[in-house]
């Protein structure tokens, strides 16, 4: 089963106009030179940079995504951004359910499923994030937690063409620590099984499952070579053109 590798940069709350544009332009220029023509590059800048980033990557193979959305198309939701607005702006992707949103904004699986469904209905592809905390890992609950998050936050209308799962152990995000390659593969394979139960075997075989959490040039090759790892959701290392592109060069296929 060939699944197109996705190398996604999650810029989080980083970037003012000048450096954001420079970063997007840098990624676009390097992506043109990248040897791997068969993997997708995606950048997810903060809302404030989406329009400028879109201009900066115009004509390149780099795709544009946002980091969150509301579940309504429009209306009285001060400060929120709807999936339709993101689509209108030229986004192809949106991330939902990142652990920082689950924690900082108390987002539940149910809310994340609503956001994901709304984004799909608006014509966006959705990256749904899941992952266990350190305490949950220590208690041996990693697979149980991921199973519950998939069952609760992946909407019924999800298919392999409109949803990507990102497995991001919370304790690995921004810490420099990662699970072993064997642990990552074990969890990814388990996630694929759960997706199979929820959405059927065909979707499970085709759906991309990204690894996220301290992915960097030095560990990307080993992680991206794992059979059930179909790309990366990259935070810190996506803020440097060279690091992000080095991860892209490490992708399989
Ligand atoms: P990190 O973040 O690469 O900085 O660990 C990944 C993420 O939170 O998506």
């Amino acid at each position: 089963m060939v699944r197109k590798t996705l190398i996604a940069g999650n810029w989080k709350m980083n970037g003012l106009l000048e450096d954001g544009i420079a970063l997007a332009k840098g990624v676009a220029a390097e992506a043109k030179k990248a040897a791997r023509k068969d993997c997708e590059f995606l950048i997810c800048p903060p809302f404030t940079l989406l329009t400028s980033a879109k201009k900066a990557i115009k004509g390149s193979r780099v795709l544009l995504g946002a980091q969150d959305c509301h579940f309504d198309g429009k209306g009285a939701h001060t400060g929120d951004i709807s999936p339709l607005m993101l689509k209108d702006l030229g986004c192809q992707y949106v991330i939902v359910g990142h652990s920082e949103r689950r924690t900082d904004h108390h987002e539940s699986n149910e809310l994340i499923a609503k956001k994901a469904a709304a984004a799909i209905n608006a014509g966006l592809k959705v990256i749904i994030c899941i992952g266990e905390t350190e305490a949950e890992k220590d208690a041996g609950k990693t697979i149980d937690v991921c199973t519950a998050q998939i069952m609760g936050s992946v909407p019924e209308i999800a298919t392999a063409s409109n949803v990507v799962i990102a497995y991001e152990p919370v304790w690995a995000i921004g810490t420099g620590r990662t699970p072993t390659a064997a642990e990552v593969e074990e969890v990814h394979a388990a996630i694929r099984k759960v997706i199979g139960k929820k959405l059927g075997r065909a979707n499970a075989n085709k759906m991309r499952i990204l690894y996220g959490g301290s992915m960097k040039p030095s560990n990307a090759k080993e992680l991206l070579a794992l059979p059930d790892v179909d790309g990366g959701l990259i935070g810190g290392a996506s803020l440097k053109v060279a690091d992000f592109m080095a991860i892209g060069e490490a992708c399989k296929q």
Side-chain angles (χ1 to χ4, degrees):
M1 173 56 58
V2 178
R3 294 178 292 264
K4 199 169 198 185
T5 303
L6 175 60
I7 303 295
N10 173 12
W11 294 9
K12 308 192 180 184
M13 197 171 72
N14 291 295
L16 300 180
L17 267 182
E18 200 177 321
D19 45 313
I21 291 169
L23 178 56
K25 275 190 178 155
V27 170
E30 290 302 314
K32 269 186 198 145
K33 293 186 224 153
R36 301 286 187 184
K37 300 293 178 216
D38 46 6
C39 74
E40 282 185 348
F41 288 103
L42 167 69
I43 55 169
C44 300
F47 291 131
T48 49
L49 283 173
L50 286 173
T51 303
S52 339
K54 187 191 164 195
K55 277 189 207 137
I57 60 174
K58 198 173 173 207
S60 80
R61 59 190 281 213
V62 180
L63 303 171
L64 186 68
Q67 299 170 17
D68 183 44
C69 66
H70 197 271
F71 57 80
D72 250 351
K74 62 175 181 168
H77 303 289
T78 304
D80 278 313
I81 308 282
S82 86
L84 280 175
M85 292 168 173
L86 298 176
K87 179 77 182 161
D88 190 40
L89 212 64
C91 289
Q92 290 103 338
Y93 278 88
V94 62
I95 299 169
V96 298
H98 191 280
S99 76
E100 285 147 19
R101 295 216 53 96
R102 289 181 188 260
T103 306
D104 297 356
H105 300 273
H106 312 290
E107 293 196 0
S108 64
N109 285 327
E110 194 187 359
L111 175 69
I112 293 158
K114 279 173 81 175
K115 290 181 176 201
I120 292 167
N121 286 328
L124 294 166
K125 293 186 183 188
V126 190
I127 300 175
I128 302 174
C129 302
I130 60 167
E132 84 286 359
T133 62
E134 183 147 37
E136 289 163 342
K137 178 185 167 58
D138 291 345
K141 290 189 186 149
T142 298
I143 308 262
D144 288 350
V145 168
C146 291
T147 300
Q149 288 178 333
I150 291 167
M151 295 316 268
S153 52
V154 175
E156 299 301 325
I157 58 168
T159 66
S161 44
N162 58 28
V163 162
V164 175
I165 303 292
Y167 168 57
E168 302 202 299
V170 178
W171 54 272
I173 296 175
T175 60
R177 297 160 59 205
T178 57
T180 64
E183 285 169 334
V184 171
E185 176 55 25
E186 186 192 345
V187 179
H188 277 234
I191 290 170
R192 204 173 293 289
K193 268 205 189 125
V194 178
I195 294 166
K197 274 194 203 129
K198 185 167 173 111
L199 302 172
R201 176 117 45 101
N203 276 315
N205 285 341
K206 284 191 224 144
M207 191 170 284
R208 292 177 294 178
I209 306 173
L210 313 182
Y211 170 78
S214 297
M215 188 180 269
K216 48 191 176 224
S218 59
N219 61 21
K221 196 161 187 169
E222 185 183 26
L223 292 167
L224 294 171
L226 297 168
D228 284 292
V229 173
D230 308 308
L233 183 55
I234 301 130
S238 73
L239 299 174
K240 286 196 186 127
V241 177
D243 286 357
F244 187 58
M245 298 317 293
I247 294 171
E249 287 303 300
C251 74
K252 59 180 173 239
Q253 284 170 27

